[in-house]
Amino acid sequence: MRANPVPSDMHPEAKRADDPEADGFDTWAALQKSTDGTRANLIADVVGHPEGAPSVRELDYMNPSLGEDAIRRHLAVLREVGVVEELVVEPGDRIRGFPYKFYRLTDQARALFDRNDLFPEDAWRRQYDRVQKTGEIEELEAMPRPPVDSDG
């Protein structure tokens, strides 16, 4: 099961002055970029990940036809529109041979998806859990993630 894009005629609710997302988060751009088939699959894997913040290596395992470079390009697009944020392990805390960058949904994207019934966490978590993982991937899933920056 892969993520289904939003119908092209769906438009997000208009921003209100009291909307916490009125801080520059463009809901329409976020929906447009998020519902591209490949990016929707990546978002589903981010949402389904046990820690909610997979590394590129984990996303590559879940999407083997893409390759790490393509995944990074898609994540860059999603970062540009504020859908995902990068969590980075501080240089002194990094472990050689292990990822130090992880990707999670922003709070604005989670709120947008919830309002539009997209990427429900429980459903994607169950789907992600059904995938048979290698020992390496299970080890990566169990790695601690950097804390979320309260400014981001």
Side-chain angles (χ1 to χ4, degrees), residues 39-54:
R39 287 190 286 271
N41 289 339
L42 292 173
I43 292 169
D45 291 332
V46 169
V47 170
H49 188 273
E51 298 295 325

Side-chain angles (χ1 to χ4, degrees), residues 53-118:
S55 64
V56 168
R57 202 179 313 169
E58 291 166 284
L59 291 170
D60 183 50
Y61 182 82
M62 299 297 285
N63 300 274
S65 64
L66 288 179
E68 291 187 8
D69 289 339
I71 290 169
R72 283 187 186 92
R73 283 193 302 273
H74 285 291
L75 289 170
V77 169
L78 293 171
R79 284 180 65 207
E80 286 172 15
V81 296
V83 171
V84 297
E85 64 183 328
E86 189 174 74
L87 304 176
V88 181
V89 176
E90 294 297 324
D93 296 333
R94 295 178 185 172
I95 302 170
R96 184 183 302 246
F98 285 89
Y100 61 91
K101 291 182 180 180
F102 301 90
Y103 299 86
R104 71 176 289 276
L105 285 186
T106 63
D107 293 339
Q108 295 93 340
R110 181 72 269 164
L112 172 65
F113 296 153
D114 287 347
R115 282 195 314 271
N116 289 283
D117 296 322
L118 296 171

Side-chain angles (χ1 to χ4, degrees), residues 14-37:
K15 292 184 213 170
R16 299 178 314 268
D18 63 342
D19 187 343
E21 295 182 19
D23 62 0
F25 181 74
D26 183 340
T27 57
W28 185 236
L31 279 177
Q32 285 180 311
K33 298 301 182 184
S34 298
T35 55
D36 162 85

